[in-house]
Amino acid sequence: MSFRLKGKFIFFATNNINKFNEARVLLADYGISVGMLRVKSLEIQSESLEEIAKTSVTEAFKRCHLPLIVEDAGLFIKALNGFPGPYASYVYKTIGNKGVLKLMENVEDREAKFQSAIAYYAEGLKSPICFKGEAVGEVTKVERKGKGKSGFGFDPIFKPVGSDKTFAEMTTAEKNRYSHRAKALRKFAEWYKHQQ
Ligand code: IMP
C-alpha cells in the first residue's frame, strides 16, 4: 500500500511498531493519517492506565510540541485478581507468555480483559483528553501464533470473545475488530475528525 498524506494528521508517540500499524490501519478508515514519533517519554507507575497515558502524553508534548496521542494498555486476569493489570509490560519482560501460562496451570476460569487508554494532547489544551477501550476474552491454555503474523506481547495467549483465533492468529484488520486499542482509537477518531 502506498503512503499518501491526506485528510487530518496526528502523531502517535510509541516505540511499538505493532501498535503503530494497528492505529495506522484503523485511522485510515476515518481519513486520519498518523506518523510514528519516537520520543522518550516518562512512564509513571500507577494503578490507572488513564493517569499513565495522560502523564506520558504531557511529557512527550513537552519534548516535541506536536499534536499527538500516546497509549497505555494493561491485561487483567480474573483468576489472578486482575494481575498483571497496569504492570503488564514488566510481567511480559520478566516471565513472558510462558510464565503467565505457568501461573494459570490448572486454573479453569480463563477470563481476562485488555484495557487501553489513549491520551491526546496539543497546543492550547488545558489538559489531555482520554479515550478508553476494553476487550474481554480468555487466556488460552497454550500459545497460538499465526503463520507469518505473530502479533506482539500477550497476543499469542489472548482470545477475544466472539472469535476462535488468538490476537496473534489475526491480521491487523481482524484484530482491530476486537481489540481494546481499536475501540479506544475509534472513540478518538470519531472525536478528532470533527476538530478544527
Ligand atoms: P504497554 O505498556 O501499553 O506497552 O503494554 C503493556 C504490556 O501489555 C506490554 O508488555 C505489551 O506487550 C502488552 N500489550 C499491550 N497491548 C497489547 C496487545 O494489543 N496485545 C498483546 N499484548 C499487549
Side-chain angles (χ1 to χ4, degrees):
M1 193 170 63
S2 63
F3 175 74
R4 255 177 290 137
L5 198 55
K6 57 179 175 80
K8 296 189 78 84
F9 187 85
I10 188 72
F11 287 99
F12 183 8
T14 180
N15 291 319
N16 185 326
I17 189 72
N18 301 83
K19 281 190 181 187
F20 171 74
N21 278 326
E22 289 172 21
R24 179 181 57 73
V25 168
L26 186 141
L27 293 176
D29 288 343
Y30 293 83
I32 302 170
S33 300
V34 56
M36 181 168 169
L37 197 64
R38 288 175 181 271
V39 281
K40 274 229 177 315
S41 169
L42 179 87
E43 198 178 297
I44 57 157
Q45 290 216 340
S46 164
E47 296 282 308
S48 156
L49 297 176
E50 175 167 352
E51 194 186 338
I52 299 169
K54 283 182 168 176
T55 310
S56 299
V57 82
T58 310
E59 288 302 313
F61 180 82
K62 280 185 198 156
R63 289 167 199 264
C64 64
H65 297 273
L66 294 165
L68 80 167
I69 52 172
V70 304
E71 192 248 9
D72 199 64
L75 174 67
F76 301 78
I77 301 173
K78 191 175 160 206
L80 305 180
N81 297 327
F83 176 87
Y87 308 107
S89 175
Y90 181 70
V91 168
Y92 183 75
K93 273 187 240 151
T94 49
I95 63 171
N97 287 331
K98 293 205 167 35
V100 173
L101 293 182
K102 186 110 190 110
L103 284 177
M104 294 189 71
E105 249 171 22
N106 306 318
V107 174
E108 274 314 307
D109 182 357
R110 316 289 299 181
E111 189 179 322
K113 63 187 178 193
F114 265 117
Q115 288 183 339
S116 163
I118 291 185
Y120 166 82
Y121 196 68
E123 199 76 63
L125 270 187
K126 275 203 192 112
S127 54
I129 302 173
C130 193
F131 305 85
K132 293 183 195 169
E134 183 174 281
V136 178
E138 65 183 59
V139 175
T140 52
K141 292 202 168 156
V142 291
E143 287 184 79
R144 279 166 31 195
K145 295 181 187 179
K147 289 189 199 89
K149 297 214 171 276
S150 58
F152 73 100
F154 301 108
D155 275 352
I157 61 166
F158 185 83
K159 187 183 79 59
V161 166
S163 172
D164 294 333
K165 297 179 181 174
T166 65
F167 276 166
E169 294 173 306
M170 297 181 183
T171 62
T172 301
E174 274 180 297
K175 182 176 172 186
N176 279 348
R177 266 186 245 139
Y178 299 94
S179 90
H180 48 307
R181 181 166 306 104
K183 287 176 187 161
L185 280 167
R186 270 189 213 107
K187 288 183 193 164
F188 163 73
E190 286 293 347
W191 172 81
Y192 191 60
K193 71 180 185 189
H194 297 299
Q195 298 305 300
Q196 291 287 322

